[in-house]
Amino acid sequence: MSAEQQDIVAPMENASISTGQAEQIVDPWNVQGAVVDGKQVGIDYDRLIAAFGTQPIDNAVLERLERLTGRKPHAFLRRGVFFSHRELNRILDRFEQKKPFYLYTGRGPSSDSMHLGHMIPFIFCQYLQEVFDCPLVIQLTDDEKFLFKPNLKLEECIKFSRQNARDIIACGFIPEKTFIFSNLLHVGGAFYQNVVRISRCITYSASKSTFGFVDSDNVGKSHFVSVQAAPSFSNTFPEIFGTRSDIPCLIPCAIDQDPYFRLTRDVAHKLKYPKPALIHAKFFPALQGPGTKMSASVDSSAIFMTDTQAQIKNKINRHAYSGGGATMELHKEHGGRPEDDIPFQYLSFFLDNDEEISEIEKTYRAGTLSTGELKKRCIEVLQKFVADFQARKAAVTEEILDQYMTPRSMGVDLSAK
Amino acid sequence: MSAEQQDIVAPMENASISTGQAEQIVDPWNVQGAVVDGKQVGIDYDRLIAAFGTQPIDNAVLERLERLTGRKPHAFLRRGVFFSHRELNRILDRFEQKKPFYLYTGRGPSSDSMHLGHMIPFIFCQYLQEVFDCPLVIQLTDDEKFLFKPNLKLEECIKFSRQNARDIIACGFIPEKTFIFSNLLHVGGAFYQNVVRISRCITYSASKSTFGFVDSDNVGKSHFVSVQAAPSFSNTFPEIFGTRSDIPCLIPCAIDQDPYFRLTRDVAHKLKYPKPALIHAKFFPALQGPGTKMSASVDSSAIFMTDTQAQIKNKINRHAYSGGGATMELHKEHGGRPEDDIPFQYLSFFLDNDEEISEIEKTYRAGTLSTGELKKRCIEVLQKFVADFQARKAAVTEEILDQYMTPRSMGVDLSAK
């Protein structure tokens, strides 16, 4: 832990960058691109890197990852979906040295409706777990959803946790090395002890300025960061790591979750725990276009993991924002704009074949590939992804669910330093 | 729950009553009588009743209690040690109607050194449990001590909990109906779920103004009220009460804890849980005199439960503030002031015999009982109390401790409404 970089701990305000007309807003509860000349533009991720003080994922990182794992980096890395990190190299060092580490990610279960955007961190974690062969803990923040959504009942939040866990399991994790837990059911013992340790290190001022709370917010909100921070420390999971508090984790998450982990990294220093490393994803855009993210509460913005093949086709054809020409003639004449085109962007997330993506981009931009043809390919790829997912989910029984949700040993060599 | 009285929820400031020169301060962390003409005076409990909006314990309550239990009320009630309440009559109604209820009290385990003052709520709970034959839950707020005392280690707090539990058990509770728990070890499951429910109902503003926090305090402090509130609700203890959330409790505590339970009663209303009833004790005065309470951190202020017979004798003789005359002659001429006299006050807590107390008071005031004789009687009574306590404590094995600290059924008839 020597020669650690000092995090730039920017207050949330710094993430809202003035762009003349309306600011870009990125915090755990709001994601909205800037408005320039009355038009919503995409999130400026380079500015987020600067404002949050994170590191871009550059070619050197990708090359090292490929060298160490012997596999081409995941499409999410090659395409810049995971675009930023904090101390990823420290985790790669440990992988190289065969020292233990683990992955930690989470989900806020506010409904039974998981959509494509929710899959991004889990698809990526599945890849990381496969190449690293390491434990993965997945926190379902049903307590947070209850605290932040006044209309939800506690029992509903617990039910959503269990329902969401089935979707998560369908992403194909290693059963023996994956622990999925509901905070409302699991917080206690060593976990609660770390929550209390963490909460002693975070002032109300720090929580307030990081997340933008006001004094009329409930006391659970400003305290909740302690609960989201706790799984970053290995002694929170005695069944997996015993009393070892020095095993670091890597947290793949969307960039809006970074404020939680900036505070967590501060706390780690105070508690003499290793700081969690992070790898940050961009947001999965809504059907309506770039500048916001897919939302479970706006039905027409999202492709849900429960959608039928016909619904997927219909949503892409009817709602997906196109970067193509207004008419077939104009498209042939001027070409399309893949960077604005939602079907193209979805393909860049879900179509692994780099040559095909490159060909699509080139021909679409040239106007030789039509919007209809691009949408057709997008529909095929998403239909297959969702159908495969649904088949895997159908195989997740209550017993399998219970296994994933039971704290247990994962065969980590606890003698390895 | 109809026709409930509305609590007067006074902010903490109202408990600090201006008396001209220095205010009386009573909150969970400070107890200090007013300073009048440069002299520390005793706590004005009538003014606390008015400021907090509680009810005095009057003769009607004592007579009803005696009639219902068939026993003379405890000396702490006859002598006004427990002097105030909230809705005690509602609990007596349930006792009369043979409906279930329970007792809840607690202790903040900041050291291994419990003193006579710490015994007051436990001695009284032992009496209440005996006459009511009901379950008792005892919360050891080791998490609170950790959050509020920056120099304590978490492991120490847990150790103090277990050590304090032995002292508590030595007070003689019904083993089958008493559950003692450390928050750091026990919070989780149904307990944590109620903590989250409660924390959603309490704003930071309310916690801040009730307890006097500032924004530079850690987030655990303003949140902690949720943890102290949770045992007020029966579904926090599924092993004892199943899923029943409608079984009310009575909380015997020192009056400085009332702010926690004022907020708890507010929350109960919002959550449709019964409000906890309360019965409040005065503070056990320090050896140095009235106006503050016995403190474990000021060795010469306290008689510890580990003190030897010689130490007790020595402390009373050397440190106990006397209300007697300055000389034997002056004492005989003007008499003593039992109301200022610490040995007399200790006797009024620990000597059950009303006739003897009355005789001591009369003769001391008259000057025929000397300070030396009064101290001698006080020493005898305290020596016996402490010796008996130490003998009972010595019999508390690790196994007995484990039994009390294990959540379990207590044979409550859960079909009784």
Side-chain angles (χ1 to χ4, degrees), chain A residues 369-380:
Chain A
L369 184 73
S370 73
T371 294
E373 287 164 326
L374 175 60
K375 284 194 168 178
K376 181 162 174 289
R377 184 63 182 130
C378 175
I379 290 165
E380 283 169 6

Side-chain angles (χ1 to χ4, degrees), chain A residues 32 43 46 136 139 142 150 156 209 211 228 230 253 256 263 271 288 330 334 377 386 417:
Chain A
Q32 193 76 52
I43 305 291
D46 289 341
L136 163 65
Q139 181 181 55
D142 40 16
E156 289 177 304
S209 72
F211 300 109
Q228 183 150 332
C253 62
D256 63 328
L263 282 183
L271 293 177
Q288 284 68 32
L330 284 169
H334 301 292
R377 184 63 182 130
V386 173
K417 285 299 165 190

Side-chain angles (χ1 to χ4, degrees), chain A residues 140-375:
Chain A
L140 300 168
T141 59
D142 40 16
D143 51 351
E144 182 239 350
K145 288 300 168 193
F146 180 77
L147 289 167
F148 284 80
K149 298 206 171 244
N151 294 327
L152 280 180
K153 287 190 179 161
L154 193 117
E155 293 75 13
E156 289 177 304
C157 296
I158 295 176
K159 193 185 68 185
F160 292 149
S161 275
R162 203 166 161 90
Q163 290 170 332
N164 286 187
R166 289 189 69 207
D167 290 84
I168 292 167
I169 291 168
C171 293
F173 298 109
I174 304 171
E176 296 75 22
K177 298 196 174 182
T178 306
F179 175 45
I180 305 173
F181 60 96
S182 140
N183 282 343
L184 288 169
L185 298 178
H186 182 69
V187 168
F191 196 121
Y192 180 63
Q193 290 164 35
N194 262 345
V195 168
V196 175
R197 282 194 183 96
I198 295 161
S199 66
R200 189 165 80 166
C201 296
I202 299 177
T203 65
Y204 177 72
S205 297
S207 187
K208 178 181 180 171
S209 72
T210 303
F211 300 109
F213 297 132
V214 293
D215 287 8
S216 58
D217 280 321
N218 70 57
V219 291
K221 289 187 180 184
S222 47
H223 177 263
F224 174 71
V225 56
S226 316
V227 183
Q228 183 150 332
S232 309
F233 306 128
S234 56
N235 62 347
T236 294
F237 303 101
E239 296 86 352
I240 307 175
F241 302 109
T243 56
R244 287 279 298 268
S245 61
D246 62 339
I247 299 176
C249 75
L250 169 64
I251 305 175
C253 62
I255 186 73
D256 63 328
Q257 298 296 302
D258 187 69
Y260 282 114
F261 300 112
R262 282 203 302 263
L263 282 183
T264 304
R265 286 167 56 87
D266 261 10
V267 166
H269 179 74
K270 293 177 193 163
L271 293 177
K272 300 186 172 61
Y273 291 156
K275 291 185 181 189
L278 287 144
I279 181 163
H280 304 105
K282 294 178 179 170
F283 306 109
F284 192 75
L287 283 161
Q288 284 68 32
T292 185
K293 65 175 182 177
M294 194 170 263
S295 166
S297 50
V298 183
D299 187 67
S300 68
S301 82
I303 290 173
F304 292 99
M305 301 313 293
T306 49
D307 280 350
T308 62
Q309 301 282 296
Q311 282 173 312
I312 294 170
K313 181 178 175 183
N314 189 41
K315 282 182 178 178
I316 294 293
N317 280 334
R318 287 183 54 179
H319 297 300
Y321 182 86
S322 174
T327 64
M328 191 104 53
E329 289 67 31
L330 284 169
H331 185 71
K332 281 186 178 161
E333 189 179 338
H334 301 292
R337 291 175 50 82
E339 57 275 21
D340 292 343
D341 194 279
I342 287 298
F344 178 77
Q345 291 202 16
Y346 288 3
L347 280 174
S348 77
F349 279 79
F350 288 98
L351 179 60
D352 188 61
N353 187 322
D354 287 340
E355 290 75 33
E356 186 181 352
I357 279 285
S358 172
E359 181 68 18
I360 289 171
E361 181 171 8
K362 198 175 69 183
T363 54
Y364 192 60
R365 198 180 294 286
T368 53
L369 184 73
S370 73
T371 294
E373 287 164 326
L374 175 60
K375 284 194 168 178

